[in-house]
Amino acid sequence: MSNWLYSDIVKEHFMSPRNSLMEDESTFDSNARGITGNLKCGDQMLMLLKIEDDVVTDVRWKTYGCASAIASTSMLSEMVKGMRIEDAYQIKPEDLADKLGGLPAIKIHCSVLGDKALRAAIDDYLEQTGRAGMLKEPATEICMCMAITDRDIERAYLNGAKDWEALQLATKIGTGCGGCEETAKEFLHGLDHIHGD
């Protein structure tokens, strides 16, 4: 373990994760539940929230994932306690990576699991309280030439554009300067872990 690619903060959250759902904790009093990921790829995330007056008062989570997924979700669980749901909903993977002192590029997709599970739990709460669709997931522009966001890429992926060529056909991404190709391919790889077959 002496050649870690991870920061000390990542190591700390991986070795001593905060707010993880313990096996004997079957009575955690949550009122919001979100799950995301794909067990076939080895990554799945469950997020349980206790929300009072639109404020996250407590969190528990469980994941089948790598060190990055565990550390990212541990950090996320600490960040959202005491946060209004509107603010928690806007947390992006980049925010988690920054708080963790960075993640290896090939592991950024792991931090997506936590924020997606968090939004799914908040969506569950909003649906239960008659406010479904009140909050919108933040979008990040991936291709500036064609104004293609990560949400556009995810929609195309869910409609069958699962590789670079299919994505270009569906969205015209990368047909300007081409500077977005590497970022878009990394994002596609992350979508495989979330939605893959």
Side-chain angles (χ1 to χ4, degrees), residues 103-123:
L103 288 171
I106 61 169
K107 290 297 186 177
I108 291 292
H109 70 271
C110 300
S111 64
V112 173
L113 288 172
D115 74 290
K116 282 197 168 293
L118 173 68
R119 280 192 285 278
I122 293 171
D123 285 340

Side-chain angles (χ1 to χ4, degrees), residues 5-179:
L5 297 172
Y6 299 110
S7 71
D8 288 341
I9 300 169
V10 172
K11 288 187 263 185
E12 170 62 25
H13 278 271
F14 171 63
M15 300 299 251
S16 301
R18 280 57 157 191
N19 306 304
S20 61
L21 184 65
M22 306 308 285
E23 292 298 325
D24 61 348
E25 200 172 14
S26 59
T27 60
F28 177 69
D29 187 26
S30 66
N31 58 353
R33 181 181 192 275
I35 192 164
T36 193
N38 177 5
L39 276 179
K40 289 181 182 175
C41 291
D43 297 309
Q44 190 172 61
M45 181 75 60
L46 168 67
M47 182 76 63
L48 302 172
L49 303 176
K50 176 67 178 168
I51 301 173
E52 296 175 15
D53 298 322
D54 288 353
V55 174
V56 178
T57 58
D58 208 355
V59 181
R60 292 294 182 276
W61 58 272
K62 187 171 196 157
T63 188
Y64 300 98
C66 66
S68 294
I70 292 168
S72 296
T73 310
S74 174
M75 177 61 79
L76 177 65
S77 71
E78 290 287 286
M79 288 171 63
V80 300
K81 278 187 182 180
M83 192 177 274
R84 295 200 54 78
I85 59 172
E86 295 89 346
D87 298 324
Y89 207 87
Q90 300 305 312
I91 293 174
K92 296 189 240 176
E94 302 84 41
D95 301 327
L96 295 172
D98 287 346
K99 284 274 197 185
L100 290 167
L103 288 171
I106 61 169
K107 290 297 186 177
I108 291 292
H109 70 271
C110 300
S111 64
V112 173
L113 288 172
D115 74 290
K116 282 197 168 293
L118 173 68
R119 280 192 285 278
I122 293 171
D123 285 340
D124 177 51
Y125 170 77
L126 290 171
E127 187 171 327
Q128 291 177 48
T129 58
R131 298 177 287 163
M134 182 181 103
L135 299 175
K136 300 295 179 211
E137 188 171 349
T140 300
E141 194 168 65
I142 303 288
C143 176
M144 292 181 198
C145 297
M146 304 305 290
I148 305 294
T149 69
D150 54 350
R151 301 301 114 225
D152 298 323
I153 294 171
E154 187 168 18
R155 274 191 297 278
Y157 180 94
L158 293 172
N159 287 322
K162 300 195 176 181
D163 60 35
W164 176 246
E165 292 75 24
L167 184 62
Q168 281 190 303
L169 285 173
T171 65
K172 306 300 180 230
I173 192 169
T175 55
C177 74

